[in-house]
Amino acid sequence: MSVPRWVILVLSLACGVGVSTIYFPQAISSLVAADLGVSAASAALVVTAAQFGYAAGIFLLVPLGDRLPHRPLIVTLLVLTAAGLLAASAAPSLPLLVAASAVTGVTTVVPQIIIPMAAGLVPAERRGAVTGTLLSGLIGGILLARTFSGTLGERFGWRAPYLVAAVVVLVLAAVLSRAVPPTTPSTQHGYPALIAAPLRLLRTEPDLRRSCLYQAMVFGGFSAAWTTLTLLVTGPTYGMGAQAVGILGLVGAASMFSTPLAGRLADRRGPDTVSLLAMLGTIASAALLVPAAGGGTAGLLTLAAGMLLLDVAVQSGQVANQARIFALRPEARARINTAYMTCAFLGGSAGSWLGVRTYDRFGWRGVTGLVAALAVVALGRHLHHVRRPRHGERRPDRSGFEKREATPSP
């Protein structure tokens, strides 16, 4: 099936807008703390709740991408997301805001439905490039969300970004009700079987397991750094406002141009090459971020450069991982993506939680050490795989999936 380029670009925009609702609270957590009279660490729970909700939504809702037509599923989830954002904007207390944030996280999984859908609509030789384009939109949403919320929140208060985001999401729902190509479900399995499938795939697919580990580790470090960045920049070291966090997000948005390049490299050289470069880049970014603890102009410059490199590395690794896993089971891409993204966002949620506690105890340098340590875990697993490659073939099993006959995975 040939998909027009404009449709890919619209889907890329949808990925960015969809995922932005998870990340824009990072830039306004200090404003939430001041307005609701809670500590900065408590306000950071809004971010953690959104990420845990997102992980739950991926596990519970994304498998429906293999069972239901994509257009009505995507539009329905966007309308529910807008309702959650409106509820968050009206929350009178932190517990209610955290609850609304978690619910919004559950429903805002549209990017994780769009990406495997698009992978099935294009030829195999274009899959890496198209995935990279969609991820560039997703990255733009992640990073520009902080600029949007930091700037808007500084001027109009922390509730304003939630209200504006709700309107944008509703407009996007109307556009996608026309733009999403018609699709046919790839399975007739019932919902319980769809929910069980990701766990079975994790058990039977070694390449899926290691891709999950790679992204859980580096995305955990990414989330730790971005969640605590607000505490660093708005704290005594720099004494800046939420808008400064947004500007740093704008600098990091340059990484959205790297993902199409990573996708093309994965098409030519294989995903493992890109994964290795991503892990090394993550470790290098942690080293570059260390001097930011000292403050001043030099510290701010290294902070911007280090966060940019971290963003490029983590998102390039995402391209490689998804190119790898989407080649495994063409008939079960949504369920494979469910397993992968659930693991990734559990890692990200844990990273946010660990990051705040590490910052409270060891400061910014402790956070950079956490970023490096998590990346080293992924690198060690990757080098072990490269040294002992696995060979094998596939045969069908009684679950309806293919099963690989292979030597044991290292």
Side-chain angles (χ1 to χ4, degrees):
M1 179 179 181
S2 176
V3 181
R5 180 168 176 77
W6 73 267
V7 172
I8 297 297
L9 293 177
V10 169
L11 294 176
S12 178
L13 174 64
C15 288
V17 172
V19 80
S20 68
T21 61
I22 302 299
Y23 291 94
F24 76 69
Q26 288 179 339
I28 57 173
S29 62
S30 60
L31 300 177
V32 171
D35 184 58
L36 298 182
V38 299
S39 68
S42 296
L45 289 174
V46 176
V47 178
T48 302
Q51 291 182 334
F52 271 120
Y54 197 59
I58 289 169
F59 185 76
L60 296 172
L61 299 179
V62 171
L64 293 174
D66 286 335
R67 181 65 179 80
L68 301 176
H70 289 102
R71 184 187 296 169
L73 176 61
I74 288 169
V75 171
T76 299
L77 289 176
L78 286 173
V79 172
L80 292 174
T81 297
L85 290 168
L86 289 173
S89 72
S93 64
L94 182 64
L96 291 177
L97 177 59
V98 169
S101 185
V103 171
T104 301
V106 170
T107 59
T108 190
V109 294
V110 165
Q112 305 313 324
I113 294 173
I114 288 176
I115 292 172
M117 176 193 74
L121 294 176
V122 298
E125 62 272 14
R126 288 187 59 208
R127 193 166 296 138
V130 168
T131 300
T133 299
L134 295 175
L135 285 175
S136 71
L138 185 143
I139 295 162
I142 292 173
L143 300 174
L144 294 176
R146 302 182 183 105
T147 305
F148 151 78
S149 63
T151 302
L152 200 63
E154 189 100 336
R155 174 167 289 211
F156 299 107
W158 66 267
R159 299 178 191 273
Y162 284 99
L163 286 169
V164 173
V167 173
V168 172
V169 168
L170 286 174
V171 171
L172 181 63
V175 172
L176 291 185
S177 69
R178 302 263 182 182
V180 174
T183 57
T184 302
S186 62
T187 181
Q188 295 300 314
H189 288 309
Y191 185 68
L194 292 176
I195 293 299
L199 298 175
R200 185 164 59 248
L201 286 162
L202 278 170
R203 188 177 66 249
T204 59
E205 290 290 348
D207 282 345
L208 175 59
R209 288 199 301 273
R210 67 184 179 93
S211 297
C212 289
L213 175 66
Y214 294 169
Q215 197 65 13
M217 292 297 103
V218 296
F219 190 56
F222 176 91
S223 297
W226 272 108
T227 301
T228 57
L229 178 73
T230 301
L231 304 179
L232 175 68
V233 171
T234 61
T237 302
Y238 290 97
M240 297 181 175
Q243 189 171 4
V245 181
I247 292 172
L248 285 170
L250 187 61
V251 171
S255 66
M256 65 188 293
F257 300 107
S258 69
T259 50
L261 298 176
R264 287 193 285 272
L265 181 60
D267 286 338
R268 291 196 307 267
R269 299 288 299 274
D272 282 355
T273 298
V274 180
S275 289
L276 177 61
L277 293 174
M279 293 165 196
L280 294 175
T282 302
I283 295 169
S285 73
L288 189 56
L289 286 169
V290 172
T297 302
L300 196 59
L301 290 174
T302 59
L303 185 62
M307 294 306 290
L308 174 58
L309 179 57
L310 179 62
D311 293 339
V312 168
V314 172
Q315 305 304 340
S316 296
Q318 174 90 320
V319 173
N321 289 328
Q322 290 192 303
R324 183 185 299 113
I325 65 174
F326 289 155
L328 296 175
R329 303 286 181 90
E331 79 288 354
R333 287 195 177 102
R335 284 162 284 177
I336 282 178
N337 201 45
T338 296
Y340 170 75
M341 292 304 303
T342 300
C343 292
F345 271 87
L346 286 176
S349 302
S352 292
W353 186 85
L354 283 172
V356 171
R357 277 137 195 85
T358 301
Y359 185 86
D360 283 344
R361 186 163 186 179
F362 302 106
W364 179 252
R365 289 186 178 87
V367 174
T368 63
L370 176 63
V371 173
L374 292 173
V376 166
V377 171
L379 179 61
R381 174 63 180 88
H382 186 64
L383 293 177
H384 186 57
H385 170 80
V386 170
R387 290 194 191 104
R388 297 183 58 190
R390 177 178 44 78
H391 302 283
E393 59 185 10
R394 297 177 180 270
R395 64 175 175 82
D397 70 6
R398 285 179 289 182
S399 69
F401 292 118
E402 291 178 336
K403 185 175 181 180
R404 179 176 288 127
E405 300 252 44
T407 56
S409 175

